[in-house]
Amino acid sequence: MLPGGEMLPVYPDVKPNPLQNANLCSRVFFWWLNPLFKIGHKRRLEEDDMYSVLPEDRSKHLGEELQGCWDKEVSRAEKDSRKPSLTKAIIKCYWKSYVVLGVFTLIEEGTKVIQPIFLGKIINYFEKHDPSNAVALHEAYVYATVLTTCTLILAILHHLYFYHVQCAGMRLRVAMCHMIYRKALRLSNVAMGKTTTGQIVNLLSNDVNKFDQVTIFLHFLWAGPLQAIAVTALLWMEIGISCLAGIAVLIILLPLQSCIGKLFSSFRSKTAAFTDARIRTMNEVITGIRIIKMYAWEKSFADLITHLRRKEISKILSSSYLRGMNLASFFVASKIIIFVTFTTYVLLGNVITASHVFVAVSLYGAVRLTVTLFFPAAIEKVSEAVISIQRIKNFLLLDEISQRTPQLPSDGKTIVHVQDVTAFWDKTSETPTLQDLSFTVRPGELLAVIGPVGAGKSSLLSTVLGELPRSRGLVSVHGRIAYVSQQPWVFSGTVRSNILFGKKYEKEWYEKVIKVCALRKDLQLLEDGDLTVIGDRGATLSGGQKARVNLARAVYQDADIYLLDDPLSAVDAEVGRHLFELCICQTLHEKITILVTHQLQYLKAASQILILKDGKMVQKGTYTEFLKSGVDFGSLLKTENEEADQSPAPGSPVLRTRSFSESSIWSQQSSKPSLKDSAPEVQTNENIPAAVSEESRLEGKVGFKAYKNYLMAGAHWLVIVFLILLNVIAQVAYVLQDWWLSFWANEQSALNVMVNETENVTEKVDLAWYLGIYSGLTVATVLFGIARSLLVFYVLVHSSQTLHNRMFESILRAPVLFFDRNPIGRILNRFSKDIGHMDDLLPLTFLDFFQTFLQVLGVVGVAVAVIPWIAIPLIPLGILFFVLRRYFLETSRDVKRLESTTRSPVFSHLSSSLQGLWTIRAYKAEERFQELFDAHQDLHSEAWFLFLTTSRWFAVRLDAICAIFVIIVAFGSLILATTVDAGQVGLALSYALTLMGMFQWCVRQSAEVENMMISVERVMEYTDLEKEAPWEYQNRPPPNWPQDGMIVFDNVNFSYSLDGPLVLKHLTALIKSKEKEPFLFTGTMRKNLDPFNEHTDEELWNALTEVQLKEAIEELPGKLDTELAESGSNFSVGQRQLVCLARAILRRNQILIIDEATANVDPRTDELIQKTIREKFAQCTVLTIAHRLNTIIDSDKIMVLDSGRLKEYDEPYVLLQNEESLFHKMVQQLGKAEAAALTETAKQEYFKRNYPDITHRDPVVMNASNGQPSAFTIFETAL
């Protein structure tokens, strides 16, 4: 654990892995797992019950090993000037350990080939049955013993082999994930533009899973052909040339299957593209759910998702039909092969005998599995893995950021020196982001950077950080950097770990940091103080608190250089002043500080001021220099009026500076409903809706109801009844075909016996009759087999679609609280992983289970029909099996659940790291986040390891049951030799042998179906969430409603959840007759302004002109059709806010709520926005929620809230006259000059509003339309 960092999940005294010192016997039979099953039987398994990861399976160890191979491969490729191949690196890393496992495959497949020979010897004994011959009987017993020994060898070897290959797969996957995460932390910003968070998460969730599967089948690529050759030779010895006919069918089926496989993977990649798009859109819908609900855009987004989903489903259906054909062909292949073989055999004039028939059947059975299932599966999985490796390789080859080590100069002096720097975010654009910038900051200096929106202020910081590559010029940074991003970022963990960020906890320093960052009171109000866990998206902090935590993190680092990107905009004036004076001016006074800000009142304290515009430096100097040289900040930026005596000359407008909180996209998604950001910041405890709840893990069995609902969602119940009948008929035809062969052989041998008594001529049975029926049964088997496959897929894919639509509908109708309580990842998981299961794996598994289940029934039925008393030992075996299955599932279900709950943190850690990428890199915390990631991975590996081993534990025991069954059949038929004939023994024994793999496959699939039904249950759980009020009311208002925006609060109490604390208390107010949240959707600019094409281009351009964005957008390559990067990150925050304002103008809303809107906008733009709001929304009610006094002094009324209670509500001037009022005190805190200026403005406004005929001293530019709506301000106090 890192000292005081408490970032790594703490493993309470890790349980050592019992496998490490288990003996051979225990390893073979997986006895070492017994204690775990005992625990699982008694109670629910928890994370602490899991065994720790084996040292060689640790994420760090594996990742570094593979990374080493990959780095070597990259450098070798550069030497040979070719493209590096990830496949080569993987092979180089893992080939040795994997080749050893090939020996297992060899022994196992060899045993499968030998088995049928001994089966033939036993049947032979029955054909020549002579009760008096003791020698023959002894021989038969020896053969039976060899046969059962083979069966036991298979049972044991198979599972050891499987366990080891799956472990190999796990290691490869873990190593890959480690590398992907490591790469994600190093991506350059250009590369970030080429990929999205969604894509990276997809690499981690889907692509790497291919490695788990590919290792299982890889060995069959060589074992398959080898085995086929051996079997052909044996068959030739057995039935001569006609075996070639059967082998020919096998060989024809192979390319057919690989053809289907190829088609399938092409569908797969198309489906993947649609799925990506759907999940990306879903991500935006869930992230921007507030805006969608506010604009009532649900319908339109629903259409968008439905459209994407429809495309995806059509592809899924076609690939499912292909899969159905594949399964069906696998099911009927053996029937066709045997049919062809024996038809040829008989037509060539040979006589059918039981031993020939069943040896052939068993041999074909052995080779068929390998050739038609494992070999094509190997090809399919390998081709899928190759595509995934390609995708991962492309990601691993993206540009990395150049690793900058902070240079500490020899004399230990820190400095930031930037000279003639020009830099581009986008290499292709002509206009540089920054042009010819030069400045130097030494310790103890504060450089303030100001400038209009999009001037490149944040880009300037990113150049110093090394995030923005410079095309020319010199940037030398000596010293350790601390960075505060414009959009506050917190990761999941405690508040303390967010501040410490891996440094040691030093109480005094920590307390001091908390104090200067104005967090003390906030922390007192949190239940667990600074040990409160902040959820997935910092769910329990307001935007302002997050901003202060970010600042505290920087201060605590005690670095040399501080880059502060507008940290003061998310807090109110008082707190802002506190932070500026105590934190920036005092605590950091010996440091190098670069502050980007919009608050011009702080410029006096800066040692130098840098004014940027369009990436160029307009001016640089000190405050006094600027004043002396008569530089009017106003002309550059529009700024505060200095001392009151400098009040503006007549004719010049009163300037209002103002700056609004950064309602950044992230803080928007994460903070509580947006009003909360502005509800009293201090009263945190009041704003915490129920913290993120633990993800519900359903207990116990999957109920019958779930299956019923699942099937009924896909089709009418009549269809389902028909489906079940179809399955049964197909199985009956399947068994009858084999039975007919054995009947034929028996009739033939009976004939032979009769003929022999008269004279020595072999008489043939009536060929046409036997062959005819045989052909008929074969055709029936094939047709029914195919029909049922397709029908099952049709029904199940449809039910997946229906359930997805119901869930989506229900999510859209869920109240906002639901989205605060459940992190994005959890909701998205339902849409990606669970729906993915239902589209893809569940139908396949379901059909597979049903087929094998019916086959098992067929096998047992045949055995009982041949030797009725087999039923007696079958009963205890059956009971044993059911007890075992229940016992196993108790533990296995928990293990599976642990596996899926330990998987989530891996993803949320990745996506939160991507959000805070700059911060992590600035603090050089990559190593630590990598360790955290490895810890999450190891936790998941613990669960995965248990998942693999518990299923093997069970499988070994199942196969033991089957082996006992084979022994009973073999020895039972020998004991009862007189009562049975050869054909029946052949049928029963050859069927019993197939039971070996099949029975346990059947049970595994049944457990798998149950496990996947959990996905169905999770989806169903989201199909009936509590709903908000209906979207449309029955009695609709007239179309021109509302004529004027009146808002009435009548004794309102408000809390975020039913049981949550009140955030507003007894609020009563009447507001006589905007909204703004800079959230952009991925897509074109046009889609952002007008998602549903309701306006003409001209209207769009007009709206953009009004918010001064026309030029900026005309410069873009595609103008209105330019694609925005994910969540609009290629626009500055200020520009995003302007886009949102344009959106509001287009919609002509009657009520406008400005939630600290222009936080990241410079005063000049701010002025424009104010003007726009006054003109465009003259007839509207405008609610401004603000921390800045100068922004709101000209409102009609001001409402001061404290701790959710209404303290004051009146015109600004009236409030200022009362010296006791809170508002008066707040204004006084700004300092004399500012206070005087504000009071003056308030006075003018007051007179203009109430006595318009008295012309007051200064003409004020103001829109005094008669229907002057009220501009109304909610104000909050803090500290």
Side-chain angles (χ1 to χ4, degrees):
M1 210 180 100
L2 296 162
E6 21 144 308
M7 292 218 0
L8 291 185
V10 189
Y11 300 129
D13 42 79
V14 180
K15 285 179 102 169
N17 201 320
L19 179 60
Q20 276 171 301
N21 30 26
N23 58 29
L24 181 69
C25 230
S26 171
R27 276 169 193 250
V28 169
F29 294 109
F30 295 93
W31 282 335
W32 53 272
L33 272 170
N34 291 352
L36 184 85
F37 280 97
K38 285 195 186 105
I39 298 173
H41 177 61
K42 287 197 198 97
R43 62 175 169 81
R44 190 172 107 167
L45 289 179
E46 296 301 339
E47 287 188 7
D48 311 347
D49 295 318
M50 303 196 298
Y51 301 127
S52 65
V53 188
L54 293 170
E56 64 267 25
D57 291 345
R58 290 263 144 136
S59 170
K60 185 170 158 49
H61 164 75
L62 293 169
E64 284 168 358
E65 189 180 24
L66 185 56
Q67 182 72 46
C69 291
W70 168 240
D71 292 341
K72 273 188 206 134
E73 167 62 28
V74 172
S75 56
R76 199 174 303 122
E78 270 172 18
K79 252 193 252 142
D80 311 347
S81 62
R82 59 177 168 87
K83 285 206 170 94
S85 146
L86 183 54
T87 323
K88 275 188 187 165
I90 293 173
I91 292 171
K92 197 166 166 11
C93 195
Y94 291 109
W95 72 272
K96 283 189 186 125
S97 55
Y98 193 70
V99 166
V100 177
L101 296 174
V103 179
F104 278 98
T105 319
L106 197 62
I107 299 174
E108 189 182 338
E109 299 309 317
T111 317
K112 277 188 189 161
V113 174
I114 297 166
Q115 255 184 337
I117 300 173
F118 290 103
L119 174 72
K121 303 276 189 198
I122 295 177
I123 300 174
N124 230 340
Y125 164 74
F126 280 98
E127 283 178 332
K128 304 193 172 64
H129 183 55
D130 174 8
S132 55
N133 188 346
V135 181
L137 185 64
H138 279 284
E139 267 180 19
Y141 274 119
V142 171
Y143 291 141
T145 315
V146 174
L147 187 69
T148 49
T149 315
C150 282
T151 313
L152 287 169
I153 290 177
L154 274 181
I156 289 167
L157 261 189
H158 181 71
H159 301 300
L160 271 181
Y161 165 71
F162 243 70
Y163 162 66
H164 283 294
V165 280
Q166 282 181 302
C167 271
M170 172 181 86
R171 289 188 187 129
L172 179 52
R173 185 196 66 218
V174 167
M176 271 301 176
C177 290
H178 175 100
M179 283 172 68
I180 290 171
Y181 182 76
R182 180 172 174 276
K183 181 73 184 185
L185 289 183
R186 300 173 176 214
L187 284 184
S188 72
N189 288 289
V190 179
M192 274 311 267
K194 290 186 194 148
T195 171
T196 62
T197 314
Q199 258 170 324
I200 301 176
V201 172
N202 205 0
L203 288 180
L204 217 54
S205 61
N206 291 331
D207 289 321
V208 293
N209 289 352
K210 302 286 186 286
F211 299 128
D212 275 326
Q213 297 156 358
V214 72
T215 50
I216 299 176
F217 295 110
L218 205 50
H219 277 310
F220 287 102
L221 283 179
W222 59 266
L226 261 183
Q227 199 188 23
I229 294 167
V231 168
T232 313
L234 287 172
L235 277 171
W236 186 282
M237 285 151 58
E238 192 68 35
I239 51 174
I241 194 146
S242 46
C243 73
L244 293 182
I247 297 290
V249 175
L250 240 184
I251 289 166
I252 292 166
L253 280 175
L254 256 184
L256 196 80
Q257 278 199 316
S258 62
C259 238
I260 292 182
K262 283 241 168 52
L263 256 176
F264 178 72
S265 55
S266 78
F267 277 131
R268 191 93 196 90
S269 51
K270 281 183 195 144
T271 317
F274 287 130
T275 313
D276 275 0
R278 173 175 61 89
I279 291 173
R280 193 172 62 238
T281 318
M282 268 317 300
N283 189 9
E284 289 186 347
V285 169
I286 298 168
T287 321
I289 191 80
R290 286 213 169 80
I291 293 106
I292 291 176
K293 284 184 180 298
M294 192 154 60
Y295 281 124
W297 277 348
E298 291 102 336
K299 279 244 172 58
S300 331
F301 272 98
D303 294 344
L304 188 64
I305 295 272
T306 318
H307 173 66
L308 288 168
R309 177 75 178 148
R310 204 173 290 132
K311 281 195 197 153
E312 184 189 5
I313 280 279
S314 69
K315 286 278 175 285
I316 286 174
L317 253 180
S318 19
S319 59
S320 291
Y321 285 154
L322 279 178
R323 271 195 162 154
M325 291 297 293
N326 233 352
L327 255 180
S329 74
F330 170 67
F331 180 68
V332 297
S334 58
K335 298 295 162 200
I336 300 176
I337 292 170
I338 291 163
F339 171 71
V340 173
T341 305
F342 282 106
T343 309
T344 321
Y345 186 65
V346 174
L347 292 178
L348 286 175
N350 297 317
V351 176
I352 269 188
T353 65
S355 60
H356 286 334
V357 170
F358 291 108
V359 168
V361 168
S362 295
L363 278 172
Y364 277 131
V367 76
R368 181 197 62 141
L369 254 183
T370 315
V371 174
T372 61
L373 187 72
F374 294 146
F375 187 68
I379 290 174
E380 181 191 334
K381 297 295 179 214
V382 167
S383 59
E384 278 189 3
V386 166
I387 292 172
S388 290
I389 287 179
Q390 196 57 39
R391 285 175 54 147
I392 293 172
K393 185 192 85 176
N394 292 342
F395 175 71
L396 290 178
L397 288 174
L398 287 173
D399 293 342
E400 291 192 10
I401 193 146
S402 48
Q403 286 295 317
R404 257 193 36 263
T405 44
Q407 313 121 315
L408 286 172
S410 44
D411 52 0
K413 287 206 176 69
T414 54
I415 189 170
V416 172
H417 177 58
V418 172
Q419 198 177 340
D420 304 327
V421 163
T422 301
F424 295 86
W425 271 127
D426 183 7
K427 296 274 191 298
T428 52
S429 71
E430 277 77 72
T431 47
T433 318
L434 297 173
Q435 215 171 340
D436 303 326
L437 264 195
S438 306
F439 61 85
T440 307
V441 198
R442 293 186 174 74
E445 293 187 343
L446 165 62
L447 168 67
V449 180
I450 54 177
V453 172
K457 299 185 296 292
S458 298
S459 307
L460 179 144
L461 294 186
S462 42
T463 311
V464 177
L465 273 176
E467 290 286 344
L468 173 56
R470 55 181 195 278
S471 53
R472 64 165 191 270
L474 170 76
V475 176
S476 66
V477 178
H478 295 286
R480 285 174 310 120
I481 294 182
Y483 166 67
V484 176
S485 53
Q486 196 171 19
Q487 297 152 351
W489 171 74
V490 289
F491 57 88
S492 331
T494 58
V495 179
R496 181 183 295 185
S497 66
N498 263 288
I499 294 175
L500 296 180
F501 214 58
K503 297 257 300 192
K504 228 159 111 205
Y505 176 64
E506 288 163 17
K507 196 161 178 358
E508 284 165 34
W509 174 231
Y510 180 78
E511 294 294 334
K512 183 178 179 194
V513 171
I514 295 292
K515 192 171 136 244
V516 299
C517 292
L519 275 169
R520 183 174 282 165
K521 197 163 168 196
D522 299 76
L523 292 181
Q524 283 165 1
L525 293 168
L526 291 172
E527 311 175 14
D528 305 326
D530 61 352
L531 295 180
T532 307
V533 172
I534 327 181
D536 225 354
R537 312 174 304 185
T540 51
L541 296 188
S542 76
Q545 285 166 326
K546 282 204 279 192
R548 298 203 295 274
V549 167
N550 261 15
L551 190 57
R553 178 189 303 150
V555 177
Y556 191 84
Q557 294 297 310
D558 196 18
D560 309 313
I561 299 162
Y562 280 81
L563 306 180
L564 311 177
D565 197 345
D566 207 2
L568 302 173
S569 60
V571 295
D572 60 48
E574 196 182 338
V575 177
R577 196 170 192 85
H578 172 103
L579 291 178
F580 186 75
E581 288 170 358
L582 287 182
C583 181
I584 297 174
C585 297
Q586 281 181 23
T587 314
L588 304 181
H589 79 101
E590 292 171 359
K591 314 282 188 195
I592 293 178
T593 314
I594 301 179
L595 171 72
V596 168
T597 187
H598 290 300
Q599 280 101 317
L600 304 172
Q601 65 264 34
Y602 299 135
L603 293 183
K604 280 178 285 198
S607 0
Q608 31 176 340
I609 300 168
L610 177 70
I611 303 178
L612 276 183
K613 193 171 182 211
D614 297 332
K616 300 188 192 62
M617 186 165 72
V618 183
Q619 256 172 320
K620 186 174 74 178
T622 61
Y623 192 76
T624 37
E625 278 170 29
F626 276 157
L627 287 182
K628 277 206 192 90
S629 64
V631 169
D632 178 12
F633 279 106
S635 64
L636 289 162
L637 273 164
K638 305 290 195 204
T639 163
E640 59 175 331
N641 20 340
E642 239 308 288
E643 302 301 321
D645 53 359
Q646 299 180 328
S647 70
S652 76
V654 174
L655 294 173
R656 310 160 56 259
T657 57
R658 98 138 177 213
S659 178
F660 261 139
S661 115
E662 145 69 75
S663 298
S664 71
I665 15 177
W666 289 124
S667 76
Q668 270 321 332
Q669 298 160 13
S670 54
S671 54
K672 294 295 157 241
S674 49
L675 267 169
K676 182 206 91 192
D677 254 12
S678 57
E681 283 221 336
V682 187
Q683 293 295 334
T684 324
N685 60 342
E686 317 221 304
N687 329 344
I688 303 178
V692 177
S693 51
E694 176 78 358
E695 180 151 15
S696 53
R697 303 198 322 195
L698 294 165
E699 291 290 310
K701 290 185 58 152
V702 178
F704 171 71
K705 208 168 130 233
Y707 289 96
K708 197 188 91 198
N709 293 347
Y710 175 52
L711 289 171
M712 296 297 279
H716 193 267
W717 64 270
L718 282 171
V719 180
I720 289 162
V721 172
F722 172 66
L723 187 64
I724 294 170
L725 279 175
L726 190 66
N727 270 295
V728 175
I729 296 170
Q731 186 56 41
V732 172
Y734 186 91
V735 174
L736 275 179
Q737 195 222 23
D738 281 333
W739 178 82
W740 187 254
L741 263 184
S742 97
F743 173 71
W744 184 354
N746 284 340
E747 292 296 300
Q748 180 69 54
S749 67
L751 262 184
N752 291 355
V753 172
M754 281 166 59
V755 171
N756 281 356
E757 285 170 3
T758 49
E759 74 261 27
N760 219 356
V761 181
T762 310
E763 217 176 287
K764 300 232 173 77
V765 288
D766 177 4
L767 243 190
W769 155 248
Y770 281 103
L771 203 53
I773 288 200
Y774 186 42
S775 318
L777 284 170
T778 307
V779 171
T781 309
V782 173
L783 289 181
F784 283 127
I786 289 174
R788 67 143 174 220
S789 281
L790 300 186
L791 194 57
V792 168
F793 271 112
Y794 172 79
V795 172
L796 298 186
V797 172
H798 268 271
S799 66
S800 166
Q801 182 169 19
T802 316
L803 289 173
H804 172 273
N805 293 349
R806 281 189 207 157
M807 169 161 79
F808 183 59
E809 179 96 315
S810 151
I811 286 280
L812 279 185
R813 291 178 185 274
V816 172
L817 176 68
F818 172 78
F819 296 92
D820 292 326
R821 287 234 168 122
N822 295 291
I824 292 188
R826 184 180 303 168
I827 304 173
L828 259 187
N829 213 346
R830 294 277 201 286
F831 280 97
S832 51
K833 191 163 166 240
D834 293 329
I835 289 284
H837 272 169
M838 287 165 59
D839 287 344
D840 201 28
L841 293 169
L842 187 53
L844 187 70
T845 320
F846 210 91
L847 177 60
D848 204 4
F849 160 65
F850 218 67
Q851 273 186 191
T852 28
F853 175 66
L854 288 170
Q855 270 183 295
V856 170
L857 283 185
V859 170
V860 175
V862 167
V864 173
V866 174
I867 314 173
W869 62 258
I870 280 192
I872 301 167
L874 263 182
I875 293 165
L877 277 182
I879 293 170
L880 176 67
F881 158 64
F882 277 109
V883 170
L884 195 66
R885 182 171 183 273
R886 273 196 53 190
Y887 184 65
F888 166 69
L889 284 178
E890 284 172 334
T891 302
S892 136
R893 216 175 267 120
D894 281 346
V895 168
K896 193 81 178 122
R897 289 203 179 114
L898 282 172
E899 191 270 319
S900 49
T901 46
T902 50
R903 178 175 276 175
S904 309
V906 178
F907 296 144
S908 46
H909 182 71
L910 171 73
S911 54
S912 95
S913 305
L914 286 170
Q915 286 163 28
L917 201 53
W918 285 16
T919 311
I920 293 173
R921 294 206 282 232
Y923 292 114
K924 301 273 176 278
E926 296 100 330
E927 275 296 294
R928 237 189 31 262
F929 271 76
Q930 183 77 55
E931 278 169 30
L932 243 179
F933 180 76
D934 288 338
H936 287 311
Q937 279 238 85
D938 285 342
L939 194 62
H940 178 239
S941 295
E942 287 178 16
W944 185 255
F945 172 78
L946 282 187
F947 169 62
L948 294 185
T949 48
T950 47
S951 50
R952 287 299 137 204
W953 177 93
F954 184 46
V956 165
R957 279 147 187 74
L958 278 189
D959 271 357
I961 294 181
C962 294
I964 295 172
F965 181 71
V966 172
I967 292 171
I968 293 174
V969 176
F971 287 99
S973 51
L974 283 178
I975 294 167
L976 296 179
T978 42
T979 58
V980 291
D981 48 35
Q984 288 173 322
V985 173
L987 188 59
L989 255 181
S990 63
Y991 263 33
L993 286 179
T994 58
L995 197 58
M996 277 303 295
M998 194 167 63
F999 180 55
Q1000 69 122 340
W1001 182 245
C1002 172
V1003 179
R1004 289 277 306 286
Q1005 291 302 67
S1006 79
E1008 235 357 69
V1009 167
E1010 265 201 40
N1011 279 334
M1012 282 187 201
M1013 285 304 287
I1014 293 176
S1015 284
V1016 175
E1017 279 195 338
R1018 284 167 52 120
V1019 169
M1020 296 228 181
E1021 183 191 348
Y1022 273 24
T1023 53
D1024 46 352
L1025 298 168
E1026 58 167 317
K1027 292 191 170 42
E1028 54 187 7
W1031 286 344
E1032 297 183 2
Y1033 282 110
Q1034 256 41 61
N1035 43 351
R1036 308 189 64 165
N1040 56 352
W1041 179 89
Q1043 280 90 351
D1044 51 352
M1046 273 206 21
I1047 304 174
V1048 181
F1049 285 97
D1050 186 6
N1051 198 7
V1052 175
N1053 287 325
F1054 174 72
S1055 72
Y1056 286 112
S1057 55
L1058 294 171
D1059 45 2
L1062 291 177
V1063 187
L1064 296 178
K1065 299 166 192 154
H1066 307 299
L1067 178 68
T1068 303
L1070 166 72
I1071 303 162
K1072 309 220 186 69
S1073 60
K1074 178 196 165 130
E1075 103 233 291
K1076 180 96 212 12
E1077 215 163 306
F1079 187 86
L1080 300 189
F1081 298 98
T1082 309
T1084 59
M1085 193 71 211
R1086 174 179 278 117
K1087 180 183 149 200
N1088 268 291
L1089 285 174
D1090 176 23
F1092 312 114
N1093 300 331
E1094 297 155 354
H1095 302 283
T1096 61
D1097 268 22
E1098 196 181 351
E1099 291 176 296
L1100 296 186
W1101 282 113
N1102 289 343
L1104 288 172
T1105 315
E1106 273 150 15
V1107 294
Q1108 311 289 320
L1109 270 179
K1110 190 171 176 204
E1111 292 76 30
I1113 287 172
E1114 278 180 329
E1115 280 168 13
L1116 296 173
K1119 305 227 176 4
L1120 279 176
D1121 296 311
T1122 309
E1123 286 285 331
L1124 300 187
E1126 195 169 16
S1127 307
S1129 45
N1130 46 2
F1131 274 84
S1132 77
V1133 181
Q1135 283 166 321
R1136 270 182 275 188
Q1137 282 166 326
L1138 295 174
V1139 173
C1140 296
L1141 193 60
R1143 205 187 279 168
I1145 291 176
L1146 277 173
R1147 294 181 59 90
R1148 305 198 177 85
N1149 305 39
Q1150 285 293 339
I1151 296 179
L1152 208 50
I1153 301 172
I1154 305 189
D1155 185 2
E1156 311 189 354
T1158 34
N1160 303 81
V1161 178
D1162 57 276
R1164 183 63 166 279
T1165 317
D1166 186 18
E1167 184 67 12
L1168 295 167
I1169 292 183
Q1170 287 318 306
K1171 208 166 130 234
T1172 310
I1173 291 174
R1174 276 189 230 117
E1175 288 170 10
K1176 285 290 142 191
F1177 300 103
Q1179 300 310 319
C1180 310
T1181 307
V1182 182
L1183 265 74
T1184 315
I1185 294 165
H1187 289 140
R1188 306 274 147 4
L1189 298 173
N1190 43 12
T1191 51
I1192 46 141
I1193 199 74
D1194 62 353
S1195 305
D1196 298 350
K1197 292 244 183 117
I1198 286 189
M1199 176 191 285
V1200 182
L1201 292 178
D1202 188 11
S1203 311
R1205 293 184 187 280
L1206 176 67
K1207 295 290 191 207
E1208 295 163 9
Y1209 180 35
D1210 210 330
E1211 299 193 28
Y1213 187 59
V1214 178
L1215 290 179
L1216 285 175
Q1217 297 311 305
N1218 171 6
E1219 305 227 333
E1220 286 306 294
S1221 74
L1222 279 170
F1223 187 64
H1224 181 267
K1225 289 180 186 142
M1226 290 165 150
V1227 170
Q1228 292 311 315
Q1229 285 200 303
L1230 294 172
K1232 275 207 196 84
E1234 178 86 341
L1238 286 180
T1239 313
E1240 183 56 35
T1241 313
K1243 188 166 152 195
Q1244 294 170 13
E1245 288 296 326
Y1246 177 74
F1247 280 108
K1248 206 176 69 203
R1249 198 173 298 121
N1250 297 322
Y1251 313 106
D1253 37 348
I1254 304 175
T1255 20
H1256 200 59
R1257 195 179 51 164
D1258 293 349
V1260 177
V1261 184
M1262 176 71 177
N1263 173 10
S1265 61
N1266 277 350
Q1268 173 67 21
S1270 94
F1272 154 75
T1273 304
I1274 299 176
F1275 202 74
E1276 51 161 289
T1277 63
L1279 275 182

